[in-house]
Amino acid sequence: MKRIITLCLLMFTLTQVFAVDKTDAFFTSFDVGSNKKYKPLQIDTTAPFDKVKVDAQTYNECVELNRQAIEAMENSNYGLAEKLLQKACAILPSEKTFWNNRLIALNNIPNRELDAIKAGIVMMSFEPGNYKYPYSIGTNYMVLGQYEKAAAYFFHSKSIEPKNPDIILKFVRALEALGGYEEEIVSVLKDSANSDDTGYLSYLLGLTYLGKKEYGQAIKAFENAKNIDKKGFAHYAYIRARFLAGKHENLASICKDTIAAFPNDQNKMAAVKILRSLSPGDYKFTETINIDIKNASRLGDLELYYRNIPNIDKHQKAEVISAELVSRGIAQNVSFADDPGAEIKKIVVSRKMLSPRIQLKIVHRIKTVATFNARIQDNSFSKNIKELSLDERLSFNDKNLIRLYERIDKQPGNFLQNALMAIGRGLEYRENGVEYPVEWIFSNRAISDCTEYSMLLIALALKKGYPARMANGFLITTDNLDKETQIGHAWCEVFLDNKGWVPIDPTLYEKMDLAYFGNMLSDQILFGYMDSQLNSSRLKASYSTAKNSGVRIDMTNSYKISDWSRR
C-alpha cells in the first residue's frame, strides 16, 4: 500500500511538472526577437593559384577558348561556355579575364552555386576593391540557404559600396532570413534610404516598421518613399499602413487618386477593398429564414416575431422593401401587423401556409457610412460586470481563462490591444457554426470562428473590469457580394467611461490590426446584440399545440447582398 501511495504521488508530481500551459500559444506575438548586433563571419577573400608561364601558342589557344566561350554565352549556351573556360583556367590560372567570364557562365547555370562561389573568391583575389564579386558570392550563398555566409559577403560588398541600394537590399534580405536583427535592419535602412533614388529602401524600412506594428514610423517611411516612387508600390503601401493604423480620415480620396494614377499595380485590388470599406455603401440585402417544422399538421396558431435590422446613428439606415412567406411553392406577401416603425415585427402565418418547411424572405435596402472613432450611446444594455459575468458560456472561472488574463495583464501597454494580439496569435479561424463556451476554445484553438474570438475578448475585458457585449451582424466582402451565404459575423463592443460602447473586432485584428478598432466601417452591418444568454436569433416563433404533440421548430438563416444599383 505504501508503494502504491508513493507511486501515485510521484505520478501526480510528474503530471504537474509536465502539464501543458494552454495559454502559451497566445504569446508568440509578444516575442520581440533578440535584436542582435550583427557581427560578420570571417570570409575567404583570396584564392591561391599558380602563376604559370606558357608559350605564345598555348596562350593563343586559351584566348581562342575564351572567344568561343563568349560566343556560346551570346547564344545562351552557358554550359558549353563554362566547359571551355574551365579548360582555359586550368591551363592559365592567373588570367583574370578567363575567370571573370567563367564566373558569368557559372552564375547562369542552375546547381553550380558552389563552383560560382569558388570562382568569385578567385576574382576577389584579382580585384579586392570590386564590390561585384562578394555580392555575387553572397547571392549564391542565399540560393544555398546559407544566410550567415551570404550576409558576411554582402556586408563586405557594402563596405566597398556603402550606398549601393542593391547591396543593401540583399544584405537586409539575408538578415531577415537569419532572424533576430530587426533593429540592425532598421538602422541599415535608415542610414541608406536617403541615397536611394527609387524609394525602395524607404519602402523596405516602412515594411519593417509595419511588421513591428510601429505605425507612425511606417507611415513616415512610406511617405518619403512615395515622394520618389514612380511605379506605385510605395503609394499602395502608404494606404495599407494608414488603414492598418486606423488612420482613416481622407484615406478614401487617397485611395481613389492612387488607383487612378497606378491602375496596373498588383496591389490595386487591396486598395479597392479598402476603398469599399471607407466609402458610403448602398446595398440590397436579402435575408432568407428557413423554418423547419416537425409535425406541422399538429400546430394550432403560428406567429413569428422578427427583429428589424436597426438604424444606427451616423452608420447605417435600414429599410424593409418587401417581405414574403413561401410554402409549398406558394408565395404570400407579408404586411406587418403592428407599427411599421416598431423594432419587432409580428407575422401571423395563416393555416393554408403551414407546412413542414416555410421560408420567410425579407428584402432590405441598407445604407452604410464609415464611422471613425465610433461611440455608440446605448443605456438599455447592462454595464454591471457581475451580472454580465454570470453567463455560463463565458466560463468565467475557467483556469485557462484566468491564466490568460493574468499573463496579458502583466504585459506593458494597452490591455485591450494586448488581448487582441494574444487572441489573434492564439486562435486560428475556421467557421464552425456553433456558439461554444470559452473553456472549449483552449482545446480547440485551430477551429474557432468569429463567435469564439469575440467571446474570448468579452471574457477578458470583463476580467479587466470593462463592460463588454457581443455584436451580431454581417461583414461585406468581395467574396460574398452577389452570392448566397449562411455566414454572418460577430464582433465586440466594450464600454469605456466618457466614450460609450466602442466597437472592436478581434477576428479582423489579426490581419487588419487597428482598422476595425474603435471604427464601424461601411462593410459592417449591425443586426443587434446577443442577450445575456448569448441568444442572437432575430426571429422567434410563438405557437399553440396539443400537449405531447411532438412539434419542433428549427430555423436557419442565409443572406445575399449586392449593390443597390445592380438589384
Side-chain angles (χ1 to χ4, degrees), residues 63-74:
V63 170
E64 176 60 20
L65 289 171
N66 183 63
R67 187 197 66 77
Q68 293 175 17
I70 293 173
E71 186 177 295
M73 285 194 287
E74 288 174 348

Side-chain angles (χ1 to χ4, degrees), residues 414-430:
N414 183 288
F415 175 84
L416 290 173
Q417 289 187 28
N418 287 339
L420 287 168
M421 191 182 301
I423 292 169
R425 294 294 186 181
L427 303 186
E428 294 179 37
Y429 185 90
R430 195 174 91 184

